[in-house]
Amino acid sequence: MPSPVEVKDTGRNMLSLGAELDVTACILKKDKAFLTQYIGNTTKLRTLEYLESAIYNLMEFTSAGKFEAIAVDMHPSFNTSALGMELSKDFDVPLIECQHHFAHAASLLAESGLERMVCITADGAGYGNDGTIWAVK
């Protein structure tokens, strides 16, 4: 079984998918986060299919059970967002759309176990809450 990362106990089971490039997926089981291996660029169909396969393999390895929600990047054109939407329908669970840079900060918050922190996420471009691309210049 993959080694989990200890996180603050949320009491929830969730699946989260990364953005479009340099993707991994994560299954959150209460106080443990299980990551897939590095997947890569999901603009390529074979890589997207590999991501889906890796998710189902991780679900089996971790005995994930039923998810309460699936989280994706809020960019409407990302293949990972479309896959997350498909999985949320298949599993009959809510889809949570996250702003790209906020997702980075939230992952740091979850991993640290802190309740508050100040984060600066400057990793390039991400779809913003206002429907435009937010970019670091």
Side-chain angles (χ1 to χ4, degrees):
M1 178 186 301
S3 298
V5 174
E6 297 283 334
V7 295
K8 184 176 180 180
D9 190 350
T10 63
R12 303 185 79 185
N13 287 343
M14 294 185 63
L15 170 65
S16 54
L17 285 69
E20 193 84 312
L21 306 173
D22 296 326
V23 171
T24 60
C26 178
I27 292 176
L28 178 65
K29 284 184 65 174
K30 300 184 180 173
D31 65 342
K32 303 217 179 346
F34 297 89
L35 300 171
T36 65
Q37 69 274 33
Y38 171 79
I39 304 296
N41 179 347
T42 59
T43 62
K44 308 215 180 312
L45 180 59
R46 286 186 68 183
T47 309
L48 183 65
E49 292 170 341
Y50 184 67
L51 171 62
E52 187 171 10
S53 173
I55 289 167
Y56 280 104
N57 286 335
L58 191 58
M59 288 172 62
E60 184 178 337
F61 289 142
T62 61
S63 302
K66 180 161 174 54
F67 296 121
E68 295 171 53
I70 295 176
V72 297
D73 191 289
M74 70 187 321
H75 197 296
S77 298
F78 281 176
N79 290 323
T80 51
S81 299
L83 175 60
M85 185 179 298
E86 181 183 315
L87 292 172
S88 76
K89 288 177 184 173
D90 290 348
F91 298 139
D92 192 29
V93 296
L95 182 72
I96 299 170
E97 296 176 305
C98 298
Q99 198 282 327
H100 181 84
H101 298 102
F102 178 76
H104 286 298
S107 68
L108 292 171
L109 195 60
E111 187 174 354
S112 72
L114 298 173
E115 293 188 27
R116 293 184 292 175
M117 74 169 46
V118 174
C119 294
I120 298 173
T121 55
D123 72 325
Y127 197 77
N129 294 336
D130 60 359
T132 65
I133 300 296
W134 294 356
V136 176
K137 296 180 182 184

